[in-house]
Amino acid sequence: MNERQAETSTTPHLCVVGHPNQGKSSIVATLAENDSVQIGVESGTTRQADRFEFLIDRKPALVLIDTPGFQRPRQVLAWLQAESVAPGDRPARVRTFLATPENRQRFPDEVALLTPIMAGAGILYVVDAAQPVTTSDEAEMEILRWTGMPRMAVINPMASTAVDPVWQRTLDQSFQWVRTFNPLTATLPARQALLRAIGELSPGWYGAIQRLRHHLELRDDERLQQVSHELAGYWCRQMTERQALSALDGNKPERAQQRLIQVLNQRETEYFQQLQAQWGHRHSELDQQPEWELDQSQLMHTETWYLWGLKQRELMLVAASAGAATGLAVDVGLGGSALFLGALSGGVIGSASGWWATRQLPGKKLGWLPLSREQAFAGPVRHPNFPLVTMARALTGTQQLWLRPHARRDAIALHAAASDWSRQEQRQLLQWAVRLQSPLRGGLRASRKERWRTVHQEALEHWIQQTLATRLHKAYQDQEQQVWQSHEY
Amino acid sequence: METKPVPTLAQPAEEITQRALWSWPLALVAGVLYALASLHYTAYDRINVLVVWLLWAGVPLIGALLSIWAFRQSRHRPWLFRIFQQRADITTPESFRRVQMLLVLQVLWLLFGLGLLLGFAVQLLITDLAFGWRSTIALDESVLARLLQWLAWPWHAWWPAALPDSALLAETRFQRIDPESAPTDRAGDWWPFLMASLLFYHLLPRVLLTCWCFWRWRRLRPARLEVTAPPVSPVQPSEAAPLQYGRLSEWRDACRLAWEWNDPLARYCLGQDDWQREEQTMDQVLNGHPGRLYWSVPGHRSPVAELADRIQQAREAGITGQGILVRSTGSEELSERHVASWQAFARQQGLSWLQHE
């Protein structure tokens, strides 16, 4: 970004600077909601200035620049102070520093972090603030003051929450705002508070940052709707999953049961992986949850299939259609003089034949044509705890992923918290599960009243949305309390 | 860490919307074929203009009105997508997805209509089309004329030729048992009426529905908030020599220098003054010609290039043996992160990692 672009651009640019290993990249990862930001165990992981752009409908709203830390601040300050300059000329002195060719080799890290600043970017200075202020820290702050750009300090409580009071007074002298921000625990309210402070650094930034904050909230609302829809779909599929016993299983239902469990596990893993990918946790490992504990005695079911795998009603319809078509051919042959009685009677006879075939016992054949056959299935799981456990695991995991800051690098250990649902909610979930599984009972088709309909799915999605929203609201309230408390130094 | 491939949850709506791209040219071709089939007639016959009007304008208009009703009423997938719905998929789409599917349907119908228009235009250019009308109930021509005037109301002001007059009705009434009786002069003059009907009763409603669906889709579409990031390059493992360990007791004769903290046991404390004063202190250290020296550093700070510069300066002055001792300056324990940083630094600088026994 050159100077001309910076002057004409109203997009806030912010450089994240500080001493190495103060958590600059962690803060960027959490704000940008991207766990691909490299946060190494050792210091100096960031080698160059990396740009992260917040785009709303492809237009930039905020640009964050993650920089390598100061490596030679006292030397740079000595260079700047080598000539006496008036306070108003200090930014020009910094530009001279950047324009001097030998400084690119001698002070590459400082050149990398000061170049975007002197091109118009604001400053987000990150400190730990638990240990005393050193001369290097003072040199860093002085260099940043010389730039003359909008700047704020962020205290990242890496080791403890105790802030050295000298830091507070020191930072107040050099920065417009001082905020505390823990990238390992920050959720949306803390990020919004930090963004609000960034927006107030410069008058031209307020609108863009407000727009970004607004879209972050909108995005979360939409995300809640979308995840409720996906979670409902996932839960419905888990409730209706079943595995047919095939010839290869050789009358051993355990194999089909194993396959059922594998499919349930796989689907759950895929659900969470999908959320990970959608929410920027692409590089985090997922700790597997314990396998499903299914009551084996309630898993096996049989269903009767008729010709070509059709069910009773379907077979009657197909037979009626075939009969009607044959009768119609006869009508056409008679030139319509039969007044379509051929089609009508063909349909009736076909339907009756289909019904008769369905009354035969499994295994009976008409010549070589098998009339009906039984098919055994493992699943769907009808244990009364299964719907509750499935929903509890999905909801808790979803909540965990939602609230997880992107600066964290530990594996995501999904665990199902004991649900605190009321008896009414539990009963409602069970009723939904029964309704979903009703068409899968062998034999006759479920009646209209028993079938799963759109209104039930909408009710399920609404319940999921409300439950998630309540849990997230509580987590946000706790976070907001912490944000306010941390401001009271 | 490798990125895992992203599995997708079953989203038939999205799959169909993507698959619909191949069906667009198909819809266009279907429209052209439909036009050709509608305008086919034998030597002793005529194209029944009333039937063609029904097929090209009447039924599509009813279809458009039914679509409006379907938008308001149903929450299921549109009919085309239900055909492709997986049996096991019982979920209903979100509003945004549903409107997206409706948009695809409208676009397909629109393309069909454009194909129809194209086929008609081509036929008008390269063949002679003879239109006629007939009725078993023996409609009075004046009644039909009034009906046609009413149908042609949208365009009668700016395209008068597209309004069939009484003379046209009289001359083009056709009876199959007496095909010779109908004059042929004005047999082709129904085409403006059919063209205008196609435009106003078939294409225009579909265009309006498509625009409305598109507007709804834009409104319901989630706000596109995204964050771009630079490409991820893996952190390269350090190529420095392995860490050399040493015992502090073996370095008692070495010069102890503190860096960025006031170590009471250090002979000199560096990293705390301005650079010019520290240059003088460093000169003092080097003028003492220590055989070896080691750096006592605070564990809560991170190594920086300024320290590396001092280490290099000492090496260039002939001090070959240098070590590093990481200390906790307060009551808190050293963090793993900082220890790892200092160990990496020691490896890079070839320093001995000193430990208490």
Side-chain angles (χ1 to χ4, degrees):
Chain A
M1 185 176 75
N2 55 40
E3 273 192 48
R4 181 181 288 276
Q5 285 173 330
E7 283 166 6
T8 55
S9 166
T10 53
T11 305
H13 286 64
L14 205 66
C15 266
V16 184
V17 301
H19 200 72
N21 232 352
Q22 297 293 292
K24 297 185 294 301
S25 297
S26 296
I27 288 176
V28 170
T30 295
L31 283 179
E33 296 183 6
N34 188 330
D35 71 348
S36 67
V37 178
Q38 294 192 14
I39 300 170
V41 177
E42 306 158 1
S43 73
T45 307
T46 308
R47 302 280 181 194
Q48 60 192 14
D50 290 331
R51 284 170 67 98
F52 295 81
E53 286 192 356
F54 291 75
L55 301 172
I56 298 173
D57 288 333
R58 298 195 184 169
K59 290 179 193 152
L62 171 67
V63 177
L64 276 182
I65 305 168
D66 187 16
T67 65
F70 280 99
Q71 293 288 329
R72 297 177 174 90
R74 292 179 302 146
Q75 294 182 62
V76 171
L77 186 61
W79 191 100
L80 293 173
Q81 290 174 333
E83 286 183 16
S84 173
V85 293
D89 295 329
R90 286 174 180 168
R93 180 70 177 151
V94 176
R95 290 200 174 90
T96 306
F97 167 82
L98 293 174
T100 306
E102 65 180 18
N103 288 340
R104 288 187 184 276
Q105 288 188 341
R106 205 171 143 206
F107 308 112
D109 302 284
E110 281 71 23
V111 168
L113 69 90
L114 287 173
T115 300
I117 292 173
M118 296 318 294
I123 296 165
L124 192 79
Y125 181 63
V126 181
V127 297
D128 182 355
Q131 302 295 332
V133 182
T134 66
T135 312
S136 285
D137 298 324
E138 290 175 354
E140 291 168 5
M141 288 187 268
E142 186 63 16
I143 292 169
L144 296 175
R145 265 187 357 117
W146 275 52
T147 65
M149 300 308 292
R151 52 194 179 276
M152 67 178 289
V154 169
I155 298 173
N156 176 10
M158 293 173 73
S160 65
T161 54
V163 173
D164 189 324
V166 174
W167 264 110
Q168 182 64 45
R169 293 193 293 275
T170 309
L171 291 170
D172 284 340
Q173 293 171 39
S174 301
F175 299 93
Q176 290 158 257
W177 300 116
V178 180
R179 291 285 182 270
T180 300
F181 184 82
N182 189 339
L184 295 180
T185 60
T187 56
L188 186 63
R191 299 203 309 268
Q192 292 279 43
L194 186 61
L195 287 173
R196 188 169 56 236
I198 291 171
E200 289 168 358
L201 276 179
S202 175
W205 291 1
Y206 183 77
I209 298 294
Q210 277 298 99
R211 198 161 148 256
L212 174 62
R213 292 179 65 226
H214 175 65
H215 273 88
L216 279 172
E217 285 185 5
L218 276 184
R219 196 272 318 268
D220 267 24
D221 289 341
E222 283 154 5
R223 187 179 273 186
L224 184 62
Q225 280 186 12
Q226 190 185 1
V227 78
S228 303
H229 178 78
E230 289 178 0
L231 202 162
Y234 156 77
W235 185 82
C236 290
R237 290 183 193 97
Q238 295 288 68
M239 292 303 107
T240 54
E241 180 61 43
R242 61 181 187 172
Q243 291 292 311
L245 199 69
S246 68
L248 293 172
D249 294 327
N251 279 334
K252 286 186 184 171
E254 299 82 31
R255 291 186 187 170
Q257 289 165 5
Q258 269 309 111
R259 283 202 303 277
L260 174 68
I261 293 171
Q262 278 169 12
V263 168
L264 294 175
N265 282 337
Q266 176 69 15
R267 185 175 288 125
E268 184 182 64
T269 303
E270 284 174 0
Y271 168 72
F272 286 122
Q273 284 177 348
Q274 176 81 359
L275 291 187
Q276 272 184 274
Q278 286 175 0
W279 295 350
H281 294 288
R282 292 174 195 269
H283 298 270
S284 302
E285 285 288 341
L286 208 62
D287 259 350
Q288 291 291 339
Q289 295 207 65
E291 284 208 345
W292 302 96
E293 289 177 10
L294 307 176
D295 183 357
Q296 309 289 345
S297 64
Q298 294 199 25
L299 275 186
M300 295 308 299
H301 308 284
T302 57
E303 189 173 286
T304 307
W305 279 13
Y306 304 98
L307 287 164
W308 305 298
L310 299 174
K311 301 223 188 118
Q312 183 188 44
R313 187 164 179 262
E314 291 159 349
L315 180 61
M316 287 171 65
L317 272 175
V318 167
S321 304
T326 308
L328 189 64
V330 171
D331 285 329
V332 168
L334 294 174
S337 58
L339 299 179
F340 295 106
L341 280 177
L344 186 63
S345 51
V348 170
I349 294 170
S351 181
S353 307
W355 177 84
W356 174 79
T358 63
R359 304 308 291 173
Q360 305 309 302
L361 291 173
K364 196 148 183 188
K365 295 185 183 179
L366 184 67
W368 57 269
L369 196 67
L371 285 177
S372 62
R373 180 165 72 91
E374 270 191 346
Q375 174 67 59
F377 290 93
V381 181
R382 299 241 168 95
H383 195 285
N385 278 348
F386 182 66
L388 307 180
V389 167
T390 307
M391 183 59 78
R393 281 160 72 129
L395 273 176
T396 309
T398 302
Q399 181 189 344
Q400 271 183 269
L401 276 173
W402 185 296
L403 294 172
R404 180 183 168 89
H406 292 73
R408 290 182 62 173
R409 290 293 178 265
D410 51 326
I412 304 174
L414 297 170
H415 56 272
S419 67
D420 51 357
W421 301 327
S422 63
R423 286 184 68 83
Q424 187 187 358
E425 285 175 317
Q426 292 181 27
R427 199 163 43 239
Q428 178 67 81
L429 270 174
L430 283 170
Q431 283 173 357
W432 280 329
V434 167
R435 190 177 284 277
L436 275 165
Q437 292 170 348
S438 62
L440 303 172
R441 291 183 206 136
L444 294 176
R445 187 181 170 87
S447 71
R448 273 187 172 270
K449 281 188 186 173
E450 294 174 336
R451 266 185 269 163
W452 181 260
R453 306 174 82 84
T454 308
V455 64
H456 302 120
Q457 186 181 345
E458 286 177 350
L460 173 62
E461 286 181 20
H462 180 75
W463 179 84
I464 291 171
Q465 191 172 335
Q466 290 299 306
T467 307
L468 262 178
T470 304
R471 292 185 181 193
L472 293 173
H473 182 67
K474 184 173 181 316
Y476 286 168
Q477 274 186 326
D478 294 341
Q479 173 89 95
E480 276 173 3
Q481 281 256 307
Q482 289 173 16
V483 168
W484 278 114
Q485 281 167 3
S486 68
H487 285 171
E488 297 166 1
Y489 298 120
Chain B
M1 193 186 303
E2 286 183 11
T3 309
K4 304 182 210 38
V6 177
T8 54
L9 295 174
Q11 286 285 358
E14 206 157 66
E15 291 166 12
I16 295 296
T17 307
Q18 287 165 1
R19 270 189 246 154
L21 288 175
W22 64 261
S23 61
W24 291 3
L26 196 67
L28 195 70
V29 168
V32 171
L33 293 175
Y34 189 66
L36 297 179
S38 307
L39 297 174
H40 176 71
Y41 67 106
T42 60
Y44 294 100
D45 200 353
R46 295 226 184 154
I47 301 167
N48 192 330
V49 68
L50 298 181
V51 169
V52 172
W53 187 92
L54 259 178
L55 291 176
W56 287 13
V59 169
L61 180 62
I62 293 171
L65 294 173
L66 282 175
S67 290
I68 296 173
W69 177 82
F71 290 170
R72 313 288 300 178
Q73 297 297 320
S74 174
R75 288 169 291 187
H76 288 286
R77 285 188 174 80
W79 61 272
L80 181 65
F81 295 87
R82 269 189 268 170
I83 293 173
F84 294 101
Q85 185 172 328
Q86 295 172 18
R87 288 185 93 181
D89 190 358
I90 49 179
T91 58
T92 57
E94 307 158 82
S95 302
F96 161 65
R97 296 271 176 232
R98 186 168 173 278
V99 171
Q100 193 175 8
M101 287 186 265
L102 287 168
L103 178 61
V104 168
L105 264 185
Q106 297 313 310
V107 169
L108 287 175
W109 277 120
L110 188 59
L111 286 169
F112 179 82
L114 288 173
L116 195 56
L117 183 66
L118 180 66
F120 188 31
V122 168
Q123 288 282 80
L124 287 174
L125 277 174
I126 64 174
T127 67
D128 57 326
L129 298 173
F131 296 100
W133 68 278
R134 47 183 181 254
S135 174
T136 308
I137 304 175
L139 275 178
D140 187 359
E141 284 163 13
S142 61
V143 171
L144 186 56
R146 275 204 297 276
L147 177 63
L148 293 176
Q149 272 181 0
W150 184 77
L151 287 174
W153 177 83
W155 62 81
H156 76 281
W158 60 273
W159 197 2
L163 172 60
D165 54 23
S166 304
L168 179 64
L169 283 170
E171 290 182 36
T172 56
R173 187 163 190 171
F174 183 74
Q175 294 174 354
R176 278 180 292 177
I177 58 171
D178 186 15
E180 306 293 333
S181 64
T184 58
D185 297 342
R186 297 190 68 185
D189 287 356
W190 280 94
W191 77 264
F193 174 71
L194 280 179
M195 181 69 80
S197 299
L198 180 58
L199 290 173
F200 276 88
Y201 293 120
H202 186 144
L203 289 175
L204 183 61
R206 289 296 172 184
V207 167
L208 292 175
L209 280 172
T210 304
C211 292
W212 183 82
C213 278
F214 183 71
W215 173 78
R216 284 282 296 166
W217 176 73
R218 284 290 298 266
R219 280 198 67 189
L220 290 172
R221 189 181 57 152
R224 294 276 306 276
L225 172 64
E226 50 184 316
V227 185
T228 62
V232 178
S233 49
V235 178
Q236 297 297 334
S238 172
E239 294 177 1
L243 194 61
Q244 300 164 9
Y245 290 87
R247 281 197 287 249
L248 184 61
S249 57
E250 293 170 0
W251 286 67
R252 295 224 183 273
D253 61 320
C255 176
R256 180 167 169 146
L257 301 177
W259 175 262
E260 285 194 327
W261 76 292
N262 290 322
D263 184 354
L265 299 178
R267 198 175 303 176
Y268 297 97
C269 294
L270 301 175
Q272 297 187 95
D273 268 329
D274 62 57
W275 191 251
Q276 287 92 345
R277 262 206 288 275
E278 187 169 293
E279 292 274 65
Q280 295 167 7
T281 308
M282 192 63 190
D283 287 340
Q284 281 180 19
V285 171
L286 297 177
N287 287 341
H289 302 292
R292 295 188 300 174
L293 62 86
Y294 67 97
W295 301 86
S296 167
V297 297
H300 66 274
R301 297 287 288 182
S302 291
V304 289
E306 278 184 352
L307 174 58
D309 291 345
R310 292 297 182 211
I311 292 170
Q312 182 60 20
Q313 189 180 358
R315 193 168 281 128
E316 285 170 359
I319 302 171
T320 52
Q322 295 190 58
I324 190 164
L325 176 69
V326 178
R327 302 294 307 277
S328 169
T329 58
S331 57
E332 72 284 349
E333 287 187 14
L334 296 175
S335 75
E336 184 190 318
R337 180 180 172 82
H338 284 105
V339 169
S341 297
W342 283 110
Q343 285 182 340
F345 181 77
R347 272 196 292 272
Q348 285 163 10
Q349 302 297 323
L351 305 174
S352 295
W353 183 265
L354 302 181
Q355 293 171 306
H356 293 282
E357 271 96 46

